Amino acid sequence: MNVELFTSEKIQKMGPVFNHFSFDNHEQIVFCNDEDTGLKAIIGIHNTVLGPALGGTRMWNYQSEWEALYDVLRLSRGMTFKSALAGLDLGGGKAVIIGDAKKQKNDALMKRFAEFVHSLSGKYITAEDIGMETRDMDIMKEVTPYVSGISESLGGSGNPSPVTAYGVFMGIKASCKYVYGSDEIHGKKIWVQGVGNVGETLVKHLTEAGAHVIITDIYKEKLKEISNKYGATIYDGLDVFSQSVDIYAPCALGATINDQTINKLKAKIIAGGANNQLEDENKHGKLLKEKGIVYAPDFLINAGGIINVNAEVAGYDLKESMKRTENIYNTTLEIFNLSDKEGITTHEAALNIALRRIEKRKKDLVS
Ligand code: NAD
């Protein structure tokens, strides 16, 4: 075993978790380490006032453990507000596994990770996120009941991504209604960034509705496949953020709306499935408002997936999930109107509703 001796000065310099800039009163952070399988994972439980913390597991080749911690802190916090806003009795949690899912994921690793999830006795329930498939959830289910998004053949709700994409499509339609006075998608030029599970189904909805869809992804083969399947155009310019589009739909990683990109963007609307799109939700939310770019909050319009996996926990069916997801259209318009009325950003408007619901439950639990 390699044990590095730290001087007290060195320890002082290490950013403690509680002072990490992404730390926001998270209830519990669990570091999972297993030498035999090579598992290195972090489970973040942000808040369980409304119920067990439900949120997917992401497997990503993080550049550093700090980057993974940053991601899980932000993602788990986002889940708290997503479920609260969607009216679900769920708290916010998320997990990250450090590694390349295409090369390092195997059944032994997933089962070991499932043991860690199980050790939390249901306080955290997992599901799919980037790098995970329904099959991985099925494998985990052999070890722990605290898994959702398992195969329909095993009594689960299957991959949540199609429902997520449908909710994003509803959010895009509502954004068009707000900006253009009509929710007609036909003829709109829409950039979908990332054509994975969510992005692909979104491209399907958009092309079926007659949009001119431009796609980007770091996996070139996937781009070709989606382009052939749906007639979407692969972006071949030099500066993707500067391209002229009506709508930008981020469906890859988070923090794509930042100091570098915000001034390049020409889109009138940002509405996509990725979590944590604003690198700094206050600063960049305000900048978008100042620039007159309408931003449909990510945790509002990408809630279809959590609504769907919640069906497994709460016991309702796909039809009901789709109905609830369709309502994202109305909620998006309500949030836009509230943002106008109160002179706050759309992100703040959505966040305030979520926070009020959590605060109310907290008081109800005490009294
Ligand atoms: P996925 O792994 O299936 O797809 C992500 C895609 O983005 C991949 O094809 C990847 O190659 C691509 N990508 C990565 N970096 C990129 C970049 N810089 N530019 C362009 N493409 C890039 O994941 P997913 O399940 O489709 O999730 C996409 C996003 O939506 C994530 O942020 C996820 O957290 C969020 N989300 C997913 C769900 C769900 O139901 N799957 C629910 C809510 C939110």
Side-chain angles (χ1 to χ4, degrees):
M1 195 187 289
N2 225 345
V3 180
E4 194 184 340
L5 288 174
F6 290 106
T7 61
S8 59
E9 194 194 352
K10 228 175 175 181
I11 290 173
Q12 291 301 321
K13 280 186 186 163
M14 289 170 72
V17 172
F18 298 116
N19 282 343
H20 191 284
F21 59 90
S22 290
F23 191 82
D24 179 38
N25 274 316
H26 287 67
E27 286 179 19
Q28 196 174 353
I29 314 293
V30 184
F31 291 85
C32 317
N33 181 57
D34 182 60
E35 204 174 11
D36 293 342
T37 56
L39 175 76
K40 284 212 179 326
I42 312 173
I43 299 170
I45 298 174
H46 176 250
N47 189 292
T48 56
V49 169
L50 294 175
L54 201 158
T57 295
R58 173 174 295 190
M59 187 161 182
W60 190 252
N61 213 359
Y62 293 101
Q63 297 301 306
S64 71
E65 290 167 14
W66 284 116
E67 197 194 334
L69 177 63
Y70 168 78
D71 210 23
V72 81
L73 288 173
R74 275 168 58 93
L75 288 166
S76 54
R77 175 180 180 270
M79 291 310 294
T80 297
F81 303 129
K82 187 187 302 195
S83 287
L85 190 61
L88 307 175
D89 285 331
L90 293 173
K94 203 90 179 179
V96 295
I97 299 176
I98 302 170
D100 185 337
K102 287 198 175 9
K103 293 183 188 143
Q104 287 163 271
K105 192 173 67 178
N106 56 54
D107 292 358
L109 183 114
M110 290 314 301
K111 283 188 177 176
R112 188 69 185 100
F113 177 62
E115 286 173 11
F116 282 102
V117 171
H118 193 68
S119 72
L120 292 165
S121 309
K123 192 173 181 184
Y124 169 67
I125 304 171
T126 200
E128 294 93 337
D129 193 67
I130 292 181
M132 288 292 139
E133 288 153 29
T134 307
R135 183 184 176 279
D136 300 311
M137 299 304 114
D138 294 349
I139 296 289
M140 289 183 73
K141 189 79 178 183
E142 290 173 20
V143 176
T144 178
Y146 306 121
V147 185
S148 58
I150 57 164
S151 294
E152 281 145 305
S153 59
L154 296 176
S157 59
N159 188 335
S161 309
V163 188
T164 302
Y166 184 61
V168 174
F169 182 55
M170 289 296 113
I172 290 177
K173 277 176 81 71
S175 304
C176 285
K177 174 86 181 155
Y178 177 75
V179 172
Y180 301 106
S182 153
D183 62 16
E184 184 58 72
I185 298 291
H186 193 272
K188 295 282 181 311
K189 204 170 172 188
I190 306 176
W191 167 29
V192 177
Q193 181 187 37
V195 285
N197 287 319
V198 176
E200 172 171 353
T201 312
L202 180 63
V203 170
K204 180 176 180 286
H205 286 303
L206 295 173
T207 48
E208 280 174 3
H212 174 197
V213 179
I214 294 147
I215 52 173
T216 55
D217 199 291
I218 50 174
Y219 288 114
K220 303 295 166 217
E221 306 88 73
K222 187 83 187 173
L223 275 177
K224 277 188 215 146
E225 180 199 321
I226 302 298
S227 172
N228 290 337
K229 229 166 151 179
Y230 306 103
T233 307
I234 299 172
Y235 176 75
D236 63 357
L238 293 174
D239 190 356
V240 68
F241 279 92
S242 299
Q243 65 175 318
S244 177
V245 291
D246 300 306
I247 301 164
Y248 164 42
C251 292
L253 297 180
T256 58
I257 301 156
N258 53 47
D259 287 346
Q260 282 73 45
T261 59
I262 213 158
N263 286 319
K264 294 181 174 184
L265 280 172
K266 299 203 173 54
K268 285 194 171 64
I269 295 168
I270 298 175
N275 283 308
N276 300 329
Q277 293 165 23
L278 304 175
E279 187 179 49
D280 179 326
E281 58 191 47
N282 293 321
K283 179 183 175 189
H284 299 124
K286 283 194 179 82
L287 273 173
L288 288 177
K289 195 170 170 63
E290 279 164 30
K291 281 197 75 182
I293 298 175
V294 170
Y295 169 65
D298 47 13
F299 65 98
L300 163 67
I301 71 165
N302 71 11
I306 192 79
I307 291 170
N308 197 48
V309 290
N310 180 57
E312 252 176 77
V313 182
Y316 52 83
D317 60 9
L318 180 66
K319 247 185 169 166
E320 177 64 21
S321 294
M322 292 307 262
K323 213 172 102 195
R324 287 182 181 214
T325 302
E326 203 158 279
N327 198 42
I328 286 175
Y329 180 98
N330 295 324
T331 317
T332 306
L333 285 172
E334 279 166 29
I335 298 288
F336 289 155
N337 292 330
L338 193 66
S339 146
D340 283 341
K341 198 173 139 210
E342 299 192 356
I344 54 177
T345 68
T346 52
H347 184 88
E348 284 169 321
L351 197 62
N352 289 350
I353 294 175
L355 281 168
R356 275 202 290 273
R357 187 164 172 246
I358 296 166
E359 279 312 307
K360 185 178 179 306
R361 178 69 60 86
K362 230 172 163 178
K363 277 191 196 134
D364 291 349
L365 288 173
V366 174
S367 59

